Amino acid sequence: MVEKYIYDVAVIGAGPMGSFVAEQLALGGLKVVILEKDLTPGDTTVCSGAMHIDVVKFIDLPQNVIEKALCNCRLVTNGHIDDWSFPNYIYMLTNRQQVDRFLSKRAQSAGSTLLTQALVTHVNPKQEELFYQNGMTKDLKMIKAKIFIFADGPHSLASKIFHTKSIKTHKFFWIGIEYEIEFNDHPMDRVEIVTNPKTLPFGYYWILPKMSSISIGLGRFNMIDGPPLWDILDEFVQTKQEFKGKRILKRKGGIIPGRINPILQKDNCLIIGDAAGMTNPFTGGGYVCGFLSAKIAAKTCLKAFKKKKFQPKILHSYERTLRRSKYYLGIRLAHYTLCLLLFLYQKTNQSLYPLFIRFYFYVSHTLMRYIKVI
């Protein structure tokens, strides 16, 4: 049996970007629904939860979801160590499940409706219809909405609707895997990034200290062949004497977009966050760029309803505004640079990625000393 509900905006996905955009729209007076496939937001997230301080431009996170706030960063390139220290913290290590749940509750407090165990199966934009399957009863239900916002991550339903390449069929993406290791009272007080051109010509390891555990993982660009990633990570973990005998709490992995989606808006649909490929191609980080896309999407939708009559043509300004932002331009430049590094690697079999990452970190962290982040 198909049931019908009517909203101004339907948001697909209750991750950080989906909940954030829903909150902004609800505060603006729109009737908003969020559809989340999991029983509770964040149940199946695989993100490590490391955030740059720039995120506070968009959201204020309470202390109970921030496990560590760090002022120090270390980059190890071919054995060479670069350390950066700042008077105030620049990195936040969070529990992503708690972040997702906090932001979804905030969106509900603003007036949004959250539907969990709601697996969206299809969207008919022109008919203003969205169909989802109820996880408990498997019944098919329908929602009517003027606008649909896709915030459903790298495997977005938008790729099927707009007939674009999905992240699985596109050649530009990152594969990330991670162990969360139990480590009470650990002394580590920094974010640590390690590159090794022999084991990861295009990739890096990370070590992230949290409250009572340490996340240790790696990311590798999918176009580079090599040994199984878990084997590479296990070898790296074995080099860390302090982790021997420690219990593994979680083992997880996922895919991260490495390029911007060619379609960011079409008809009455907007795509944000990882679904739009709003990530840094060099590192796979996507919080700041993702929140920016959500903020612009919210402003565009509110403007489209400003005169109490929906004006769909205004939605076209979302893509134009996003493409003019410094973050979007930075992503495009990073993408072309990464393509050049890949071309040189294929021609010479020598990877310049580790050296470029060192240059990238050096420039970005040097600028942080002189430019106010917030």
Side-chain angles (χ1 to χ4, degrees), residues 150-165:
F150 292 84
D152 48 343
H155 305 293
S156 178
L157 183 64
S159 62
K160 294 181 180 179
I161 295 173
F162 301 127
H163 306 291
T164 60
K165 287 184 178 180

Side-chain angles (χ1 to χ4, degrees), residues 102-171:
F102 166 73
L103 291 176
S104 67
K105 287 179 180 178
R106 205 167 73 173
Q108 291 177 79
S109 297
S112 299
T113 298
L114 174 65
L115 301 179
T116 57
Q117 290 186 290
L119 177 63
V120 179
T121 58
H122 192 68
V123 176
N124 295 323
K126 293 183 179 179
Q127 287 75 38
E128 300 180 349
E129 297 173 341
L130 177 151
F131 295 89
Y132 72 95
Q133 192 176 58
N134 183 285
M136 295 290 291
T137 63
K138 305 299 182 183
D139 290 339
L140 186 67
K141 297 187 178 183
M142 183 177 73
I143 280 177
K144 297 279 287 183
K146 295 292 184 183
I147 299 174
F148 301 100
I149 297 180
F150 292 84
D152 48 343
H155 305 293
S156 178
L157 183 64
S159 62
K160 294 181 180 179
I161 295 173
F162 301 127
H163 306 291
T164 60
K165 287 184 178 180
S166 69
I167 194 169
K168 288 184 178 180
T169 58
H170 201 282
K171 60 184 180 180

Side-chain angles (χ1 to χ4, degrees), residues 17-89:
M17 314 313 159
S19 292
F20 173 73
V21 74
E23 178 192 22
Q24 299 301 304
L25 293 171
L27 289 173
L30 298 187
K31 189 176 181 182
V32 184
V33 62
I34 314 169
L35 297 105
E36 169 56 45
K37 62 180 177 57
D38 291 338
L39 175 62
T40 307
D43 279 352
T44 58
T45 184
V46 295
C47 180
S48 64
M51 299 183 182
H52 189 271
I53 187 62
D54 267 0
V55 166
V56 302
K57 291 180 179 179
F58 306 97
I59 57 171
D60 290 320
L61 294 176
Q63 289 301 315
N64 64 316
V65 303
I66 300 175
E67 297 201 4
K68 286 280 185 179
L70 302 175
C71 307
N72 307 311
C73 177
R74 169 170 289 181
L75 176 66
V76 182
T77 312
N78 299 340
H80 186 279
I81 297 176
D82 292 295
D83 283 315
W84 292 274
S85 295
F86 298 86
N88 300 307
Y89 70 88

